[in-house]
């Protein structure tokens, strides 16, 4: 029989710890493992405990203080080791602060050796209630809260927190954050995911006996946004779905990237540029922070430009106009020889041009 695994993620340490403790205490025969990364010393600390107290506390010097190294060098081996121990039927794992669970979920779904002993029951996003809107849509950096993983970690708190919500099977707020913040959380999270506003009200049995919906989570989180995007109804949050078959003009994208990506909203999706027609590019941002980069080749898929925006209050009036303005116009076309260029100005984010239209 495989050991059930519940994974807790978050950007707010108090919310993470309270959720982790509640799950570990309320589950019978459960063991808890908490990983923390010191971004300055690049040391990973692992603490394993159960109802009897702390069982082990070890420090591991990482080759690089990053999520991939932490997973490879200690997180996955520890989960595998604990799953083989007959004392426990459940593992509650707290990932390092600011870590997304996507890499872990992928490893558990693709590694047959791990799959023999571990079943990923749920990915739980723990969200703080003190400043929920600020955590999701603010412009703070992880490093400003000492929640980064290494000295070169420039990620924004909002981008990471939103991505954690989008992947989660359950969302837990340490307390009720108020109606506006709650509507925002529900708008960002995968449709249908339970949102609990009190750690003490957690249905631990439901979380433990479930199963991580890998396909649903992947589809909802995929930049191409293949999953249905339902209407928000009477929500205080807003959602704007902008799409076109045309690519972004690289010059106008650089000119107006702040208009499209900088503001109190979550934005994510995919786009393409005629200077790199084979590259499926990812767009991901929150608050004042934006990341763009290569995601995968388009292959046989028809390229599309689509950005999904989510926020509170009223959508910025010029957002749709900025999106339309950045698109390549029909008269400019995508087959013209002028797109056969050596550079397009996007090299700092996308690297050198490999092919042209």
């Amino acid at each position: 029989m495989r050991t059930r695994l519940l994974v807790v993620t978050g950007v707010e340490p108090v919310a993470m710890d309270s959720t982790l403790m509640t799950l570990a205490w309320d589950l019978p025969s459960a063991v808890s493992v908490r990983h923390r990364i010191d971004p300055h010393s690049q040391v990973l600390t692992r603490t394993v405990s159960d109802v009897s107290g702390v069982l082990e506390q070890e420090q591991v010097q990482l080759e690089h203080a990053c999520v991939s190294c932490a997973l490879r060098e200690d997180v996955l081996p520890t989960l595998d080791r604990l799953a083989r121990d007959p004392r426990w039927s459940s593992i509650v794992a707290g990932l390092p602060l600011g870590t997304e669970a996507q890499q872990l979920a992928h490893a558990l779904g693709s590694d047959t050796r791990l799959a023999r002993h571990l079943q990923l029951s749920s990915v739980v996003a723990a969200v703080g209630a003190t400043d929920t809107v600020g955590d999701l849509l603010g412009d703070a950096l992880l490093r400003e809260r000492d929640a980064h993983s290494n000295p070169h970690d420039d990620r924004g708190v909002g981008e990471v927190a939103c991505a954690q919500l989008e992947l989660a099977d359950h969302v837990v707020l340490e307390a009720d954050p108020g109606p506006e913040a709650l509507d925002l959380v529900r708008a960002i999270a995968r449709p249908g995911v339970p949102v609990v506003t009190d750690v003490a009200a957690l249905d631990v049995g439901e979380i433990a006996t479930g199963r991580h919906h890998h396909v649903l989570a992947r589809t909802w989180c995929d930049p191409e946004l293949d999953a249905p995007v339902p209407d928000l109804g009477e929500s205080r949050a807003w959602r704007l779905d902008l799409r076109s078959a045309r690519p972004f003009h690289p010059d106008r994208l650089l000119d107006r990237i702040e208009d499209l990506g900088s503001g109190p909203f979550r934005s994510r999706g995919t786009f393409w540029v005629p200077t790199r027609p084979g590259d499926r590019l990812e767009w991901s941002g929150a608050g004042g922070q934006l990341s763009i980069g290569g995601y995968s080749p388009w292959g046989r898929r028809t390229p599309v430009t689509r950005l999904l925006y989510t926020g509170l209050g009223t959508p910025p009036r010029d957002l749709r106009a900025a999106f339309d303005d950045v698109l390549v116009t029909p008269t400019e076309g995508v087959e013209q020889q002028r797109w056969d260029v050596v550079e397009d100005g996007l090299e700092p984010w996308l690297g050198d041009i490999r092919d042209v239209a």
Side-chain angles (χ1 to χ4, degrees), residues 94-113:
L95 295 184
L97 205 62
T99 299
E100 299 169 31
Q102 199 158 16
Q103 289 187 49
L104 174 62
H106 176 74
L108 294 174
S110 59
D111 190 320
T112 56
R113 182 179 56 84

Side-chain angles (χ1 to χ4, degrees), residues 65-288:
C66 65
V67 174
S68 296
C69 287
L71 286 174
R72 181 181 65 252
E73 295 181 28
D74 197 82
V75 175
L76 287 171
T78 298
L79 293 177
D80 185 37
R81 172 170 59 86
L82 295 177
R84 296 169 184 266
D85 194 315
R87 288 179 290 175
W88 302 300
S89 59
S90 301
I91 301 172
V92 182
L95 295 184
L97 205 62
T99 299
E100 299 169 31
Q102 199 158 16
Q103 289 187 49
L104 174 62
H106 176 74
L108 294 174
S110 59
D111 190 320
T112 56
R113 182 179 56 84
L114 291 173
R116 288 169 53 195
H117 304 283
L118 281 166
Q119 175 184 308
L120 181 56
S121 296
S122 181
V123 174
V124 181
V127 182
T130 303
D131 187 16
T132 306
V133 175
D135 286 346
L136 296 172
L137 303 183
D139 59 0
L141 299 176
L142 289 173
R143 66 169 63 234
E144 295 171 346
R145 301 188 181 187
D146 208 30
H148 54 311
S149 63
N150 62 71
H152 307 291
D153 187 352
D154 293 323
R155 294 174 298 158
V157 173
E159 183 183 347
V160 173
C162 287
Q164 291 174 341
L165 276 182
E166 289 153 0
L167 184 71
D169 302 296
H170 293 83
V171 177
V172 180
L173 290 123
E174 59 177 328
D176 191 338
E180 285 194 348
L182 189 56
D183 280 352
L184 177 64
V185 168
R186 287 176 171 149
I188 293 173
R190 192 172 77 239
V193 163
V195 178
V196 178
T197 58
D198 183 357
V199 175
L202 272 177
D203 187 338
V204 176
E206 177 189 349
I207 296 176
T209 56
R211 189 166 186 175
H212 174 61
H213 299 288
H214 177 67
V215 174
L216 291 178
R218 183 185 61 191
T219 305
W220 178 248
C221 296
D222 191 285
E224 204 166 347
L225 300 168
D226 286 334
V229 180
D231 185 78
L232 294 179
E234 297 299 319
S235 173
R236 297 166 181 81
W238 57 264
R239 180 180 284 153
L240 192 59
D241 190 354
L242 304 178
R243 67 180 81 186
S244 174
R246 288 180 280 151
F248 279 153
H249 190 294
D251 292 337
R252 292 200 294 273
L253 174 60
L254 289 171
D255 290 339
R256 304 208 62 176
I257 196 165
E258 289 192 9
D259 297 331
L260 286 173
S262 180
F265 46 71
R266 165 64 165 158
S267 61
R268 63 187 182 97
T270 192
F271 69 100
W272 63 293
V273 290
T275 49
R276 306 163 185 261
D279 294 338
R280 180 184 176 203
L281 306 174
E282 181 178 10
W283 178 290
S284 178

